[in-house]
């Protein structure tokens, strides 16, 4: 792997390249897309991934306090508990050995007997709203750290505030496209990490944001490259920074 922007460097330190800024909460999106913008191949993002993308994916998880994903992504991608990794030792000093998964779901259509809820080293968080069925809310509360954020739908700003209240301020969101769009529409995204796979796909795959309209100005801060895959990092334009 090499960095090609803003400077040229072979074999950059990935953890250093993606280090969170100090002293403030930070929410980053991490997504992979084809060259024409498709967010999945045959229904899953794994078909777009590469060995370099997987290394960055694991490093971003190791750096984070919590991994945030929508229930559809959790089901589609077959999420399980985040496994501990020896390579994360220094990244997680003073924190649990793995970050918890936080699942966003309005309907609470979750398999609470799945290992994500029964075998996770860090208790899985479920984020829902008051409109979720009462019995499902009670069941989710028994199997997870339940956050109720919003009335008829999940209020993303309130959900993020609740994560911060738990000390989880370095948030890594892995999608899907609808969750990304909701976070962007509420002006909650600080950074986008986008792996661009050298494929043209067409078809009906969603883009990395799908649903609510949003406009967030970004600044390209870094590009890595390996085997034709580009790993782009975009930060919020400073003039659009919200107050801490």
């Amino acid at each position: 792997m090499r960095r090609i922007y803003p400077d040229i460097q072979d074999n950059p330190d990935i953890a250093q390249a993606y280090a969170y800024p100090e002293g403030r909460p930070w929410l980053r999106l991490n997504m992979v897309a084809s060259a024409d913008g498709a967010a999945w191949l045959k229904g899953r993002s794994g078909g777009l991934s590469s060995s370099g993308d997987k290394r960055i994916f694991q490093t971003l998880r190791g750096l984070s306090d919590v991994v945030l994903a929508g229930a559809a992504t959790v089901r589609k991608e077959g999420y399980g508990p985040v496994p501990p990794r020896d390579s994360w030792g220094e990244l997680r000093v003073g924190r649990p050995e793995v970050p918890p998964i936080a699942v966003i779901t309005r309907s609470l259509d979750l398999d609470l007997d799945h290992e994500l809820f029964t075998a996770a080293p860090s208790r899985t968080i479920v984020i829902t709203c008051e409109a979720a069925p009462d019995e499902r809310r009670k069941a989710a509360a028994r199997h997870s750290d339940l956050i109720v954020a919003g009335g008829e739908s999940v209020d993303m700003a309130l959900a993020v505030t609740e994560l911060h209240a738990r000390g989880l301020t370095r948030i890594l969101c892995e999608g899907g496209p609808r969750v990304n769009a909701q976070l962007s529409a509420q002006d909650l995204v600080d950074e986008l990490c986008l792996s661009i796979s050298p494929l043209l796909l067409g078809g009906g795959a969603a883009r990395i944001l799908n649903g609510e309209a949003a406009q967030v100005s970004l600044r390209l801060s870094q590009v890595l490259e390996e085997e034709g895959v580009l790993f782009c990092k975009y930060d919020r334009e400073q003039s659009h920074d919200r107050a801490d």
Side-chain angles (χ1 to χ4, degrees):
M1 185 173 291
R2 60 179 181 146
R3 180 160 54 223
I4 59 176
Y5 181 83
D7 58 4
I8 306 296
Q9 181 182 342
D10 290 331
N11 300 313
D13 184 312
I14 295 177
Q16 186 178 59
Y18 287 94
Y20 282 89
E22 294 291 335
R24 60 159 296 176
W26 196 258
L27 191 152
R28 73 176 17 142
L29 305 182
N30 183 40
M31 295 293 290
V32 62
S34 66
D36 60 320
W40 59 66
L41 173 62
K42 298 180 180 178
R44 299 186 66 174
S45 62
L48 297 170
S49 191
S50 66
S51 60
D53 180 60
K54 290 181 174 68
R55 295 201 306 278
I56 290 174
F57 173 86
Q58 294 298 345
T59 300
L60 294 185
R61 282 189 160 194
L63 289 166
S64 72
D65 291 333
V66 60
V67 176
L68 182 66
T73 295
V74 167
R75 290 190 294 266
K76 202 177 292 184
E77 302 287 345
Y79 271 52
V82 176
R85 292 180 173 270
D86 292 340
S87 60
W88 287 355
E90 291 187 9
L91 300 184
R92 304 206 61 79
V93 170
R95 298 186 292 169
E97 63 178 352
V98 299
I101 299 285
V103 184
I104 297 174
T105 169
R106 182 183 184 278
S107 67
L108 284 173
D109 182 15
L110 300 169
D111 179 3
L112 296 173
D113 293 322
H114 189 273
E115 64 174 355
L116 179 60
F117 299 97
T118 63
S122 293
R123 189 170 173 83
T124 296
I125 299 166
V126 171
I127 303 172
T128 191
C129 59
E130 293 174 2
D134 188 57
E135 288 302 313
R136 291 185 183 179
R137 281 173 55 185
K138 291 177 181 177
R142 291 193 296 269
H143 291 82
S144 69
D145 178 3
L146 183 67
I147 293 173
V148 179
E152 289 301 312
S153 61
V154 175
D155 181 329
M156 292 296 187
L158 181 55
V160 168
T161 297
E162 289 291 334
L163 292 175
H164 290 173
R166 286 160 169 78
L168 307 174
T169 59
R170 297 176 176 184
I171 301 173
L172 171 64
C173 180
E174 297 178 350
R178 290 191 178 277
V179 168
N180 294 343
Q182 291 165 9
L183 290 167
S184 299
Q186 292 199 31
D187 200 28
L188 297 169
V189 175
D190 295 298
E191 179 184 300
L192 168 64
C193 299
L194 178 63
S195 300
I196 302 175
S197 179
L199 291 172
L200 294 173
L201 293 178
R207 299 179 299 165
I208 63 168
L209 267 66
N210 189 37
E212 293 189 40
Q215 183 172 337
V216 181
S217 296
L218 300 174
R219 175 184 65 88
L220 180 64
S221 60
Q222 177 177 267
V223 183
L224 309 182
E225 184 274 337
E226 183 179 86
E227 298 179 344
V229 182
L230 299 178
F231 307 100
C232 302
K233 185 160 78 77
Y234 300 89
D235 302 330
R236 292 173 60 90
E237 286 278 10
Q238 292 298 311
S239 61
H240 291 268
D241 272 355
R242 57 187 182 279
D244 292 345

